[in-house]
Amino acid sequence: MPLALALSPHLDDAAFSAGGALARLAQEGWEVVVATIFTATVPHPSGFALACQTDKGLPPDADYMAIRRAEDREACAALRVRPLHLPLREAPHRGYTSAAALFATPRADDMAHLDAAETIERLLATLRPDLLLAPQAIGGHVDHVLTVRAIQMVDPGLPILWWRDFPYTTRADTPHRPFEAMLSRFPEAALPTDPAAKHAACAAYATQLGYQFGGPAGLARALAATGGEEMARAQGHAPALTRAA
């Protein structure tokens, strides 16, 4: 059985951006693993890190990342894929102190991509995937950018489908495309998708729906506006998975 490994910066990125394609891969006989890089619980958060959970209606003593990991397990069940949660800290726990900082150039002292590269290298050795899926880092969120840097460091030598980061692709306030020059070398492809499975998976991230979409109805509208389409830049040859855009 072929294995596809999706490298998701956060607990929701893979489902939001490529959930329909992941579901289709699973339906077509692939084993699909969604490995989320930044999922570590950090006890007693403060400042901006704490605000990132309290502004979503969660009390200060809640284990925000444990709640999000549970949401991810539910989402992955809807897609019929296997979740893996990797123990790196999200950017608010690494010295980023505002929303603006999350979408600026990564801090010079932030070495998270080195830890991510080591983690990805171990995953590749253990799982031996046939295909990778990963973000383009559209929007420029530092965790997405450092995930791409980590993949570049590892240079896995596999076909990679670089997904378009939804919902950042729809937002005028996050236009940054830091890897556009690199990715423009690869053809853009429309992926086969299962929109219903994707919607069910995205809806499982209850803590994120208000912030990202204004609630479940906003999620439904945002997904409907895409027409069920998911796009990726195809590095390498994966003929059974893509069709020309």
Side-chain angles (χ1 to χ4, degrees):
M1 177 185 295
L3 189 145
L5 173 62
L7 296 170
S8 184
H10 300 127
L11 295 157
D12 63 22
D13 289 322
F16 283 170
S17 299
L22 296 173
R24 281 291 298 271
L25 283 168
Q27 292 162 15
E28 293 171 9
W30 287 69
E31 181 181 0
V32 182
V33 176
V34 175
T36 306
I37 308 294
F38 299 103
T39 81
T41 289
V42 177
H44 313 299
S46 61
F48 178 61
L50 178 60
C52 288
Q53 73 181 55
T54 57
D55 66 7
K56 297 175 180 66
L58 297 172
D61 59 349
D63 188 333
Y64 178 45
M65 297 307 294
I67 293 168
R68 296 203 62 196
R69 291 191 297 268
E71 292 174 342
D72 189 61
R73 286 189 288 271
E74 181 180 349
C76 286
L79 300 176
R80 299 183 183 275
V81 305
R82 175 160 61 101
L84 284 178
H85 298 149
L86 306 176
L88 278 67
R89 295 171 297 151
E90 287 190 315
H93 299 289
R94 302 197 313 271
Y96 296 85
T97 59
S98 69
L102 295 180
F103 294 92
T105 302
R107 292 166 54 109
D109 61 349
D110 186 1
M111 299 291 107
H113 58 297
L114 303 182
D115 294 330
E118 290 181 6
T119 300
I120 291 168
E121 200 160 34
R122 288 195 295 270
L123 276 179
L124 294 174
T126 301
L127 297 176
R128 301 180 64 85
D130 302 282
L131 172 70
L132 294 182
L133 297 95
Q136 293 184 30
I138 293 170
H141 190 294
V142 294
D143 286 342
H144 294 223
V145 171
L146 295 180
T147 296
V148 175
R149 286 188 189 175
I151 295 168
Q152 291 176 313
M153 289 179 62
V154 171
D155 189 18
L158 294 169
I160 305 177
L161 293 176
W162 298 97
W163 68 61
R164 300 181 76 229
D165 306 64
F166 179 82
Y168 299 121
T169 51
T170 69
R171 293 181 178 167
D173 62 340
T174 52
H176 193 38
R177 296 173 182 247
F179 299 100
E180 186 169 20
M182 176 196 82
L183 292 166
S184 66
R185 297 177 294 159
F186 308 128
E188 190 166 60
L191 305 178
T193 68
D194 181 336
K198 176 176 181 170
H199 190 173
C202 292
Y205 298 104
T207 60
Q208 307 306 302
L209 298 187
Y211 165 72
Q212 295 284 10
F213 305 103
L219 169 67
R221 288 192 297 270
L223 292 177
T226 70
E229 184 177 72
E230 293 177 348
M231 304 295 296
R233 291 281 180 179
Q235 179 180 353
H237 188 51
L241 307 174
T242 62
R243 60 186 186 273

